[in-house]
Amino acid sequence: TKKGSFRLGQRKRVKLGYARNFLLPYKFAVVANKDNQTKIDAVLKKSEKQQVEIKKVAESVQKAVHKQAITFVVKSHDEGKLYGSIAIAELVNKVNDTFKQTLDKYDFKGFQPIKEVGEYTIPIVIHADVNILLTVNVEGEADKDASAAKAKAKKEEISETEASEEAEVTEEVAEVTKTESVEETATE
């Protein structure tokens, strides 16, 4: 755990001012004495039941999601950078829709927005004892752009061939008119 954090039911020694001004008024902690021991025991039992339920949920999510892959197809630059990024909200929605789960953004620990094309492994942490890994493939819309570019190139090629054919026809017409004018001057 991080410095200054604690788990439910844990006994911890803190400074008097921190306890008096923050922990006790906001009911984040109670003084560990004989009077409060029954409260502490009740909270521990409730916490253990809650941890068992969370672990069951985590195991069911693990069966559905662990080592699975989802794919995002997004617009990207030639260098592989995305226009914008894939945020945690988009990831959560896609995972919930694809795998029929009810995850939220807090289950994806340490997620940073995805800004480049590639393959990413994202950890999902619902319970400390259950490891869940999700593979996210990010692909650019290069296929659509490439097909559009090919179609544009074909149109340009066709227009160039038509232009060159028209130029050849005009050259032939010019030669024919020159020969006719030469024949007319010769006949005079």
Side-chain angles (χ1 to χ4, degrees):
T1 61
K2 293 190 302 186
K3 182 180 178 184
S5 63
F6 55 90
R7 291 184 301 274
L8 202 56
Q10 179 182 3
R11 289 179 181 241
K12 197 165 190 176
R13 200 174 278 282
V14 296
K15 293 189 177 184
L16 182 62
Y18 179 56
R20 184 180 23 193
N21 296 327
F22 181 71
L23 294 176
L24 296 175
Y26 289 104
K27 303 202 187 294
F28 290 139
V30 294
V31 177
N33 57 22
K34 291 180 184 178
D35 297 335
N36 291 331
Q37 191 59 40
T38 55
K39 285 183 185 178
I40 293 170
D41 292 339
V43 168
L44 281 174
K45 286 181 184 178
K46 188 175 179 181
S47 170
E48 289 172 3
K49 287 180 184 178
Q50 188 179 17
Q51 288 298 319
V52 169
E53 290 175 12
I54 290 173
K55 188 171 182 177
K56 286 180 184 178
V57 169
E59 288 171 348
S60 69
V61 170
Q62 183 184 30
K63 288 178 184 175
V65 177
H66 186 60
K67 294 189 178 178
Q68 296 291 327
I70 59 172
T71 303
F72 285 93
V73 179
V74 294
K75 292 183 179 181
S76 65
H77 295 282
D78 294 335
E79 303 92 38
K81 296 192 178 206
L82 304 182
Y83 290 113
S85 64
I86 297 175
I88 192 165
E90 294 172 292
L91 179 65
V92 169
N93 289 337
K94 184 118 179 183
V95 169
N96 287 342
D97 292 343
T98 304
F99 300 111
K100 307 292 187 248
Q101 297 296 319
T102 56
L103 299 175
D104 61 4
K105 67 181 184 178
Y106 302 107
D107 295 331
F108 295 86
K109 301 289 185 208
F111 178 79
Q112 295 293 321
I114 298 173
K115 297 181 180 184
E116 293 185 3
V117 173
E119 184 173 305
Y120 301 89
T121 303
I122 311 284
I124 301 173
V125 182
I126 299 173
H127 191 275
D129 296 339
V130 181
N131 295 326
I132 304 170
L133 296 175
L134 175 70
T135 303
V136 177
N137 295 318
V138 181
E139 298 176 356
E141 288 184 344
D143 299 332
K144 293 180 182 179
D145 294 340
S147 63
K150 286 179 184 178
K152 187 176 179 181
K154 284 182 183 180
K155 287 180 183 178
E156 289 176 2
E157 214 175 302
I158 291 171
S159 63
E160 287 178 28
T161 55
E162 290 176 355
S164 62
E165 288 174 4
E166 287 180 42
E168 291 175 1
V169 169
T170 54
E171 288 177 315
E172 289 177 15
V173 170
E175 288 178 5
V176 169
T177 54
K178 282 184 183 178
T179 54
E180 289 178 358
S181 63
V182 170
E183 289 175 7
E184 288 178 4
T185 52
T187 52
E188 294 179 327

